[in-house]
Amino acid sequence: MVKYSIIIPMFLCFSTLYAGFTFVGKIKNYNVFPNKVEFTLTNANLIIYVVDQNILRFRYTNQGEFSNAPSYAVIFQQPEKVNFLFNEESDKFVIKTTELIVQIKKDPCRISIFDNKMNLLNKDDEYYGVSFDNDEVRCFKKLFDGEKFYGLGEKSDQLLKNGNQYTMWNSDFPAYNSKRDPLYVSIPFFIGIRNYRAYGIFFDNTYKSYFNMGASNKEFYWFGADKGEMDYYFIYGPQIKRVITSYTMLTGKIELPPLWSLGYQQSRWSYYPETTVRRIAQSFRDYEIPCDAIYLDIDYMDGYRVFTWDKEKFPNPTKMINDLKAKGFKLITIIDPGVKADTEYFAAKEGVENDLFVKYPNGKFYEGQVWPSWSYFPDFTYDKTINWWGDKLSILLKDGIEGFWNDMNEPAVWGQAFPDIVQFSDNGFGADHKKIHNVYALQMAKATREGVRKYSPNKRHFILTRAGFSGIQRYSAVWTGDSESNEEHLKLACIMPQNLGLSGVPFIGTDVGGFIGEPTARLYVRWMQLGSFTPFFRAHSEFNSRAKEPFAFDPNTRSLVRDIIRFRYQLLPYLYNEFYNASVTGLPIMKPMFLNYQNDENCYSYDSQLQFMLGDNLLIAPVLSSTDNFKKLYLPGGKWYSFNENKTYDGSNWIIVNAPIEQIPIFIRQGGFVPMQDVQNFVGEKKIDELQVLLFPSPKSEYQLYQDDGISYDYTSGKYSITKFSEELSNNKLKIHITTEHDGYNTGLKNYLFKILAVSAPKAVYVNNERISDNKKNDYKTNNQFNFDKEKSILNIKTNYSKKLEIQIEF
Ligand code: GLC
């Protein structure tokens, strides 16, 4: 890559010496279609598709024709007809949608994109534009003063991407740090923000690609790839949220996961034999620390052969799994793609006989070394392999396994370099490893998702992956790989999930406690506190490390962690609703502050990345040091209720709060509803009768709560419920309305317990216009009573559960 910056000036002087380097040239010809305009340029072809009124796709090739191979990332079908206007002017063409105006300069061909009021949003670099250097493709864009960049998936530095160059090449790098790039997941999508207005660019190219966000220059930023087409989508916001929603319209959104997968999950490398797994499970129940899933790492297999059991360590897996299921545990097995190249082993035999593995160009099966030693690699770009893999998973599904953990799927091999010449089907189009590397894990996750769905069409399973590409969110949750038990990684555990969330991957978490090394008790507690508010909440640790289950620590730590995990279970209704929102909007669950407060400069500061919004109503400010007992944090405009202190703060302020080891600062936004429930040892342990609803009243606000059975796909045929909560506070009167907006699922709830925060003693409380009595003891033997906690300024109101409810409070 360095070579290139040297070539450009030389090319300008001695163009004949660098015949491989070309600019796109000028527009020679064009053709207008109902959904696109095609241009012939001196050195390339260009198609501009109008995808939507705020989305345009720019596709260039210098190969004479465009590839017919389908995109791996994009599942959105380009509409046949889209409304737009096209005009030719003397020196340019103009495409107009209701939201965007695109000028396509004729000579040389350069793109400028404006909003419909002619505010310039984005523009090719005047001189370099799009260019080709032999196989390499590049797009140079003007870098504006004050323009900020975010996104790009799994990156371990801070959220702001300016001034650095990033590479997309899925890489296994244990014990990485904040300087290491690339890592396991590649997402060639970023968001540009200028004057608080956002656009996104998604570069749909799976080759090794590069994003230079103004590193070492202040003229332009550029993105490009070693090969393939310069094929990118421009997405206009101006809201950041809309950019992400549009990007996930193209690449897909999460499915609703099983509710239990939002519970706490326990892993290590490795729990074996069976007695150990049973002991770990029992300890969770004995100590009453909630837990829903236990992981089996590579040692459950017979010599690391996928789809097998080591019968010495696990003589009767089905019985073990069923016994644990009866105690509320789900078992999740690791699955690595490498299939041991052993002629006696059924999976290897079937793969060889049916041609399901990747090969060298000379037709010989490729063998690479991973855990099982020499192994074949399934060709997940070949339909037949995808089906076969899905069928093989049914072996474990029949044993009762409820989730799959895809690892080593970059694909990683010992020596780190899968040979580039290895051949893949590429859906029948044929490609080498250079094109497929970055989508190998995406395709493996697709095979996994389709396999479990085929085997078990109406039960949700959990899928986790280490590597991925744009679109991975539609198949799998992601964790951030082999972290270390240190403070740098504790910070990364706050920032990386936010970065992935901005990049369309909401179901994300870290190895809580750190994978490599040994956390101090305080670091462990701080990471648990943070982890309990990340969408995916699993502790995992490496081989030979000390036991890191909560009960392996001293009694005080154990009890702190029990309380942390219990709070997570209380918060499940709120959290599950955020998963529902993410499945509809594509937005993150763990949100960077600037996503919700786009016009607040403070929310873009480095410090504000060390806190986040969980949904729209909770602000979480984890302590990311093992020694601090305080937290500096920013509260955006409005008022905030401090959960730990039972007091309110005015926003638009940086504050410092006490945060002793037993506390993680949590704030509720004014107007924010937070539905909660009783603690359980696992999801489904108890029948939940009561929904607790926290509210910090505001002049006016609304909230919607989604509920379904949490396990089947029945919701896709309308079996879910949506409850709308609204509130209004004026003239010392608070009105709360609850209505059922969609009534397809019986929640089984019997009553509500409202907790109205930061209020004074009420004069009177009415439920459905009837005045209710003060239960001074706060014991609520019957519903429709209230109690005022003077010390905490909390008004508790207990009512019957009803599809329509009206509460009025006079203060
Ligand atoms: C990789 C994974 C890690 C796993 C280990 C053994 O390092 O990232 O989570 O425990 O392999 O399978």
Side-chain angles (χ1 to χ4, degrees):
M1 286 302 115
V2 177
K3 174 186 75 171
Y4 189 50
S5 54
I6 300 163
I7 287 174
I8 291 174
M10 292 177 74
F11 159 76
L12 296 174
C13 313
F14 314 107
S15 56
T16 48
L17 287 180
Y18 293 91
F21 185 88
T22 45
F23 291 111
V24 286
K26 64 176 177 189
I27 298 178
K28 299 199 310 193
N29 221 330
Y30 70 93
N31 231 328
V32 187
F33 296 85
N35 60 0
K36 62 179 178 183
V37 185
E38 293 190 354
F39 299 91
T40 311
L41 318 178
T42 328
N43 298 318
N45 296 314
L46 162 64
I47 307 178
I48 303 178
Y49 294 86
V50 180
V51 180
D52 209 338
Q53 297 303 306
N54 70 325
I55 309 176
L56 299 159
R57 177 181 177 195
F58 297 87
R59 197 175 173 197
Y60 299 80
T61 182
N62 65 344
Q63 303 294 311
E65 55 185 26
F66 289 96
S67 161
N68 286 321
S71 165
Y72 286 98
V74 175
I75 50 168
F76 183 76
Q77 290 289 326
Q78 167 69 39
E80 298 287 327
K81 195 180 163 349
V82 190
N83 285 336
F84 69 93
L85 298 173
F86 181 77
N87 256 329
E88 178 168 8
E89 294 175 13
S90 60
D91 59 340
K92 59 179 173 292
F93 299 98
V94 179
I95 291 177
K96 267 191 188 177
T97 71
T98 53
E99 298 192 41
L100 294 172
I101 298 166
V102 186
Q103 294 182 351
I104 307 123
K105 205 172 98 188
K106 289 182 179 172
D107 186 13
C109 172
R110 296 285 180 268
I111 307 293
S112 302
I113 306 171
F114 303 81
D115 69 10
N116 58 10
K117 300 200 177 65
M118 282 309 284
N119 294 307
L120 182 59
L121 301 171
N122 182 269
K123 162 179 205 306
D124 285 354
D125 177 84
E126 202 47 49
Y127 198 83
Y128 301 104
V130 168
S131 58
F132 305 92
D133 186 354
N134 292 302
D135 280 346
E136 287 179 20
V137 292
R138 293 271 171 94
C139 181
F140 292 83
K141 294 282 189 185
K142 181 171 170 50
L143 178 62
F144 292 97
D145 263 359
E147 190 166 22
K148 295 184 176 113
F149 300 107
Y150 294 93
L152 296 175
E154 190 177 52
K155 299 296 169 199
S156 58
D157 56 351
Q158 58 160 320
L159 296 182
L160 184 68
K161 297 290 175 263
N162 290 55
N164 285 308
Q165 179 165 316
Y166 301 87
T167 302
M168 299 295 163
W169 186 253
N170 292 356
S171 302
D172 168 20
F173 201 88
Y176 59 89
N177 59 26
S178 54
K179 307 246 168 351
R180 165 74 203 178
D181 178 62
L183 291 173
Y184 314 92
V185 178
S186 294
I187 301 192
F189 162 65
F190 64 87
I191 299 165
I193 304 175
R194 189 159 60 100
N195 301 328
Y196 304 114
R197 291 148 56 99
Y199 67 85
I201 285 185
F202 167 47
F203 179 32
D204 190 11
N205 181 314
T206 66
Y207 286 89
K208 188 184 265 186
S209 61
Y210 311 89
F211 290 78
N212 181 313
M213 311 320 279
S216 300
N217 97 84
K218 50 187 177 182
E219 301 290 314
F220 51 71
Y221 70 89
W222 65 262
F223 50 94
D226 283 354
K227 206 176 166 179
E229 291 171 8
M230 175 40 66
D231 184 359
Y232 74 89
Y233 292 79
F234 177 88
I235 303 168
Y236 180 49
Q239 304 83 359
I240 310 170
K241 286 184 175 175
R242 185 166 182 233
V243 173
I244 301 171
T245 296
S246 294
Y247 164 73
T248 52
M249 177 186 93
L250 300 173
T251 60
K253 300 185 165 69
I254 58 163
E255 265 193 9
L256 273 176
L259 182 55
W260 61 258
S261 67
L262 274 55
Y264 175 68
Q265 312 196 26
Q266 183 66 52
S267 183
R268 81 164 282 126
W269 175 15
S270 297
Y271 291 127
Y272 68 82
E274 176 180 325
T275 45
T276 302
V277 181
R278 287 178 184 271
R279 178 176 54 78
I280 295 292
Q282 194 51 47
S283 302
F284 275 102
R285 296 299 175 249
D286 290 347
Y287 288 108
E288 295 188 88
I289 301 172
C291 179
D292 263 271
I294 294 184
Y295 282 65
L296 300 180
D297 205 326
I298 46 177
D299 298 285
Y300 76 90
M301 293 178 271
D302 171 18
Y304 305 134
R305 289 170 184 82
V306 264
F307 317 121
T308 67
W309 289 95
D310 179 327
K311 285 294 170 93
E312 259 172 45
K313 295 181 184 127
F314 295 95
N316 190 346
T318 318
K319 177 152 181 5
M320 173 189 75
I321 294 167
N322 283 334
D323 289 351
L324 291 173
K325 205 171 276 184
K327 294 191 167 151
F329 290 97
K330 284 87 194 158
L331 264 86
I332 296 173
T333 46
I334 198 167
I335 301 279
D336 291 349
V339 174
K340 189 175 173 76
D342 161 6
T343 47
E344 299 299 303
Y345 162 41
F346 68 91
K349 269 203 262 179
E350 288 174 23
V352 166
E353 274 163 27
N354 297 297
D355 236 3
L356 306 173
F357 301 139
V358 293
K359 293 178 178 166
Y360 285 109
N362 67 4
K364 197 173 165 209
F365 285 110
Y366 164 67
E367 288 179 36
Q369 263 188 316
V370 258
W371 300 118
S373 187
W374 294 108
S375 304
Y376 299 123
F377 285 80
D379 183 355
F380 292 113
T381 68
Y382 180 33
D383 273 1
K384 225 170 135 185
T385 309
I386 291 190
N387 289 333
W388 172 77
W389 191 261
D391 290 344
K392 291 296 110 185
L393 291 175
S394 68
I395 298 174
L396 293 164
L397 291 169
K398 275 183 200 136
D399 289 327
I401 292 300
E402 304 215 24
F404 293 112
W405 165 25
N406 288 347
D407 189 29
M408 304 293 284
N409 48 354
E410 290 68 29
V413 282
W414 301 159
Q416 294 279 346
F418 204 102
D420 278 349
I421 53 170
V422 170
Q423 301 295 303
F424 290 74
S425 153
D426 192 16
N427 296 306
F429 290 89
D432 60 21
H433 182 71
K434 290 186 216 154
K435 178 176 178 196
I436 303 305
H437 178 85
N438 280 340
V439 291
Y440 192 79
L442 175 72
Q443 291 297 105
M444 182 180 177
K446 176 184 156 97
T448 311
R449 176 61 70 199
E450 289 177 1
V452 292
R453 197 71 204 270
K454 189 160 83 180
Y455 175 79
S456 181
N458 199 26
K459 183 173 164 182
R460 298 182 221 167
H461 287 78
F462 175 69
I463 300 171
L464 177 66
T465 182
R466 190 171 71 176
F469 190 73
S470 287
I472 190 66
Q473 67 275 6
R474 55 186 193 252
Y475 306 124
S476 180
V478 174
W479 101 102
T480 57
D482 297 347
S483 60
E484 282 191 286
S485 296
N486 61 31
E487 291 196 4
E488 182 184 14
H489 271 274
L490 178 59
K491 279 205 182 68
L492 293 185
C494 182
I495 296 174
M496 289 174 74
Q498 295 183 61
N499 211 74
L500 275 145
L502 281 174
S503 315
V505 183
F507 200 178
I508 172 76
T510 63
D511 280 348
V512 173
F515 176 67
I516 295 161
E518 315 214 326
T520 60
R522 281 185 69 101
L523 184 79
Y524 180 72
V525 170
R526 290 306 191 191
W527 205 321
M528 275 283 178
Q529 286 171 338
L530 164 63
S532 71
F533 292 101
T534 57
F536 171 57
F537 181 25
R538 179 187 77 153
H540 179 50
S541 74
E542 73 165 331
F543 194 68
N544 273 341
S545 57
R546 63 158 287 180
K548 287 189 202 162
E549 300 78 28
F551 38 79
F553 287 80
D554 62 273
N556 183 42
T557 303
R558 182 177 74 215
S559 103
L560 291 179
V561 171
R562 175 172 48 215
D563 290 347
I564 293 166
I565 299 179
R566 285 183 167 182
F567 191 75
R568 164 90 173 194
Y569 276 72
Q570 288 182 276
L571 207 55
L572 283 180
Y574 179 78
L575 208 55
Y576 188 59
N577 188 55
E578 289 310 320
F579 273 78
Y580 166 72
N581 288 337
S583 76
V584 176
T585 62
L587 293 176
I589 292 162
M590 185 174 169
K591 296 175 174 162
M593 297 304 299
F594 60 76
L595 187 66
N596 279 17
Y597 301 93
Q598 190 167 329
N599 296 325
D600 185 340
E601 192 56 37
N602 284 303
C603 289
Y604 294 85
S605 69
Y606 175 75
D607 282 352
S608 72
Q609 304 174 17
L610 306 178
Q611 60 183 72
F612 54 93
M613 296 298 298
L614 187 69
D616 293 331
N617 295 344
L618 289 177
L619 186 157
I620 311 294
V623 177
L624 301 173
S625 126
S626 48
T627 46
D628 288 356
N629 280 320
F630 65 91
K631 174 82 181 181
K632 179 184 167 200
L633 64 112
Y634 180 70
L635 295 172
K639 275 196 160 98
W640 298 83
Y641 179 81
S642 162
F643 197 86
N644 296 334
E645 301 164 297
N646 292 307
K647 67 181 231 196
T648 63
Y649 285 90
D650 285 330
S652 300
N653 276 317
W654 287 95
I655 60 168
I656 294 178
V657 292
N658 284 331
I661 189 69
E662 65 277 11
Q663 284 182 3
I664 167 169
I666 305 170
F667 295 81
I668 302 181
R669 188 179 63 85
Q670 187 173 31
F673 286 87
V674 181
M676 295 177 67
Q677 67 187 25
D678 267 354
V679 172
Q680 306 178 81
N681 285 310
F682 57 91
V683 167
E685 183 198 26
K686 295 179 191 157
K687 211 168 145 317
I688 303 284
D689 289 340
E690 179 173 277
L691 192 74
Q692 294 152 20
V693 183
L694 274 56
L695 168 67
F696 173 24
S698 73
K700 204 174 169 117
S701 77
E702 270 185 18
Y703 176 76
Q704 282 207 340
L705 178 66
Y706 172 92
Q707 289 163 294
D708 66 14
D709 66 12
I711 193 68
S712 77
Y713 285 93
D714 287 353
Y715 70 89
T716 56
S717 55
K719 293 192 179 140
Y720 60 88
S721 87
I722 290 189
T723 311
K724 186 166 141 194
F725 296 81
S726 59
E727 56 103 27
E728 215 178 314
L729 178 65
S730 67
N731 301 328
N732 291 330
K733 246 192 206 157
L734 174 65
K735 285 187 196 162
I736 303 173
H737 284 267
I738 298 135
T739 49
T740 303
E741 300 280 292
H742 184 94
D743 191 15
Y745 169 70
N746 179 1
T747 60
L749 291 171
K750 298 241 156 42
N751 49 272
Y752 281 116
L753 177 63
F754 288 91
K755 287 179 171 284
I756 317 291
L757 309 170
V759 288
S760 51
K763 291 201 180 106
V765 180
Y766 302 84
V767 172
N768 289 340
N769 293 322
E770 282 195 23
R771 190 164 176 171
I772 63 169
S773 58
D774 185 346
N775 176 326
K776 298 220 161 69
K777 286 198 226 131
N778 201 10
D779 60 1
Y780 300 109
K781 298 241 161 50
T782 61
N783 287 340
N784 291 355
Q785 295 190 324
F786 73 90
N787 167 274
F788 182 66
D789 181 337
K790 209 166 148 198
E791 208 180 304
K792 294 187 175 155
S793 305
I794 297 179
L795 170 64
N796 297 299
I797 305 171
K798 187 145 172 170
T799 73
N800 289 327
Y801 178 81
S802 153
K803 297 209 165 122
K804 207 166 157 33
L805 203 65
E806 201 182 295
I807 301 173
Q808 269 201 52
I809 304 142
E810 288 169 12
F811 295 104

